[in-house]
Amino acid sequence: MRIGIVCYPTFGGSGVVATELGLALAEQGHVVHFITYDRPVRLGTGRANVFYHEVRVSDYPLFDYQPYELVLTSKLVDVVKHERLDLLHVHYAIPHASAAWMAQQILRAQNVRIPFITTLHGTDITLVGRDPSFEPVITFAMEHSNAVTAVSESLRGDTYRHFPVKRDIRVIPNFIRLDRYARTPDPALRARFAPNGERLLVHVSNFRPVKRVQDVIGLFDELRKRLPVRLLLIGDGPERQRMETQCRAEGTCDDVLFLGKMTAPEEVVASCDLFVLTSESESFGLAALEAMACAVPVVSTDTGGTPEVNKHGVSGLLSPVGDVAAMTENAYAILKDDASLQRFREGALHEAGRFTLERILPQYEALYAEVIRNVSDGVHQ
Ligand code: GMT
């Protein structure tokens, strides 16, 4: 198949999933064209069957806001026609789904049929998309997609709850390439980050308010009263300053290390003992799954799709949003002795096995084939 993938090229989970999916499809012999405003961070260069088309929005002085969606639409029309694509797969509804629909209509007027699939990732539904300034467009684009998928049962339910959509939404969970995460802790890295044999906690995110990173710091402050621990923070974002202020106020900065954004966080996460995810809402929690694939247990909130990934008592422990005392108790229960930590490590790796590329990729390929068949049979436009 010849597939166009539209995504955000950033460190966010939706861009990571879209990129890994495209690369895996290309390895299967499909031809994959990425269409976005920058090279996706995990794309790399020189891969067979992989192409990248940059969407460039020129800075015309009339516009206070540059019309990215229109430029993306024009680019989609161009790439579909000239690369003879069979299908578009857009990740994150805003504004990709409506741009794909517009491109589909323009191409239809030129007698070119192109189906598109929309994959919902989370905040496009639970946070941003629900806003009345987006809702009618998102609802329309979902109804008119040739197929819609959601990355968890929870997100599927949220979509029906928050949007007046009637159509079928299929759950295809996120996935990981297990082989990439199969690493043993690096003694040099542990010596650097935990010089006195401390337990290493780690958090990876975009430090947006939805992640409640203040609770990561809060948990760390409480836990260090009971165990020697250090905290690694990977990523960056709007809450960073507040986090720094918080650990300065507690006098814990020497043991809290901000490592910044990383293209391959698993290189550090695999040497840690516990992953902490304190989000207010999380449609899936890809970062937690990546940690589990490194055999690192997870203490998380029990919100959204997280319980579908982090199995309570097996891969980690869950507690209500904002309950820092319960999170601290959970972290202590896992880290208190080597036997407990080892049991959770094994559980984390085992549970990650439910989300391997080998299990998930065929589900996308089958959906692609179905949608293309429906269009050629005239079932869909
Ligand atoms: O977590 C973020 O803020 C980034 C966001 C994104 O769109 O990149 O992540 C969402 O999609 C990921 C991949 O499907 C999910 O693993 C995350 O749970 C989801 N984030 C939220 O729902 C907050």
Side-chain angles (χ1 to χ4, degrees):
M1 286 179 264
R2 302 177 69 79
I3 303 152
I5 291 187
V6 181
C7 63
Y8 283 102
T10 56
F11 288 87
S14 63
V16 168
V17 169
T19 309
E20 295 292 355
L21 175 62
L23 293 176
L25 289 163
E27 280 168 24
Q28 296 298 310
H30 302 290
V31 175
V32 180
H33 291 261
F34 286 91
I35 305 147
T36 181
Y37 60 82
D38 205 351
R39 178 171 277 278
V41 287
R42 289 213 190 165
L43 190 58
T45 49
R47 313 244 192 170
N49 300 333
V50 175
F51 301 88
Y52 162 57
H53 306 263
E54 187 168 306
V55 181
R56 266 181 179 276
V57 185
S58 49
D59 204 2
Y60 190 66
L62 174 68
F63 301 130
D64 273 351
Y65 305 98
Q66 307 305 321
Y68 175 70
E69 190 170 350
L70 296 186
V71 183
L72 172 63
T73 302
S74 296
K75 184 60 103 179
L76 292 178
V77 169
D78 182 76
V79 177
V80 168
K81 266 201 309 205
H82 296 289
E83 302 296 344
R84 292 167 290 107
L85 298 189
D86 299 311
L87 170 98
L88 288 172
H89 186 176
V90 305
H91 291 260
Y92 207 90
I94 310 168
H96 302 152
S98 44
W101 178 79
M102 244 192 299
Q104 185 183 61
Q105 299 311 303
I106 293 167
L107 287 159
R108 192 181 188 197
Q110 301 174 22
N111 284 323
V112 177
R113 300 267 183 243
I114 182 83
F116 75 96
I117 296 174
T118 300
T119 289
L120 309 173
H121 276 274
T123 45
D124 45 353
I125 293 301
T126 56
L127 221 61
V128 196
R130 287 172 67 184
D131 190 294
S133 53
F134 289 115
E135 184 277 318
V137 179
I138 305 302
T139 301
F140 179 89
M142 282 195 281
E143 288 290 8
H144 289 81
S145 301
N146 296 80
V148 176
T149 74
V151 300
S152 64
E153 290 291 345
S154 156
L155 184 59
R156 178 175 183 271
D158 281 343
T159 309
Y160 286 127
R161 241 186 319 282
H162 300 315
F163 293 82
V165 278
K166 306 262 179 310
R167 64 155 317 131
D168 176 50
I169 298 173
R170 220 173 279 193
V171 175
I172 303 186
N174 287 333
F175 59 89
I176 23 105
R177 305 179 79 121
L178 214 45
D179 54 337
R180 174 188 295 175
Y181 298 89
R183 298 158 179 267
T184 44
D186 172 0
L189 196 140
R190 281 204 69 99
R192 182 149 47 101
F193 291 134
N196 303 307
E198 296 93 337
R199 297 286 200 210
L200 273 180
L201 309 189
V202 64
H203 169 81
V204 183
S205 81
N206 51 26
F207 298 6
R208 296 215 181 110
V210 70
K211 304 292 174 183
R212 291 187 63 93
V213 281
Q214 70 274 21
D215 291 349
V216 177
I217 307 275
L219 179 161
F220 172 75
D221 289 345
E222 289 306 310
L223 188 64
R224 72 199 301 268
K225 295 174 188 160
R226 299 169 73 179
L227 278 176
V229 282
R230 296 189 98 201
L231 172 63
L232 306 185
L233 294 162
I234 300 176
D236 213 325
E239 294 293 294
R240 175 160 175 176
Q241 185 59 57
R242 206 144 70 93
M243 294 163 89
E244 286 181 325
T245 309
Q246 204 178 339
C247 68
R248 278 177 205 147
E250 292 291 334
T252 57
C253 291
D254 287 349
D255 293 324
V256 180
L257 302 162
F258 288 86
L259 304 184
K261 292 179 179 173
M262 287 184 180
T263 46
E266 66 275 10
E267 287 170 5
V268 172
V269 173
S271 293
C272 295
D273 301 304
L274 185 70
F275 186 88
V276 182
L277 189 67
T278 51
S279 306
E280 171 112 42
S281 112
E282 199 70 63
S283 70
F284 185 87
L286 184 67
L289 175 60
E290 292 185 330
M292 286 160 55
C294 295
V296 174
V298 175
V299 159
S300 71
T301 44
D302 58 4
T303 178
T306 316
E308 295 172 43
V309 179
N310 183 21
K311 281 275 171 275
H312 186 74
V314 183
S315 55
L317 293 167
L318 295 101
S319 54
V321 173
D323 191 343
V324 175
M327 290 175 206
T328 309
E329 212 46 61
N330 287 344
Y332 182 76
I334 294 173
L335 297 174
K336 64 182 189 302
D337 58 55
D338 290 345
S340 163
L341 178 56
Q342 188 54 28
R343 184 167 63 80
F344 277 101
R345 277 191 184 283
E346 286 163 16
L349 189 56
H350 181 263
E351 291 303 316
R354 292 182 289 127
F355 301 99
T356 57
L357 175 70
E358 294 71 19
R359 284 180 180 219
I360 307 301
L361 186 64
Q363 298 182 38
Y364 276 119
E365 285 181 295
L367 181 63
Y368 291 177
E370 183 187 318
V371 161
I372 292 170
R373 205 169 42 244
N374 281 345
V375 168
S376 67
D377 292 351
V379 178
H380 287 155
Q381 75 143 349

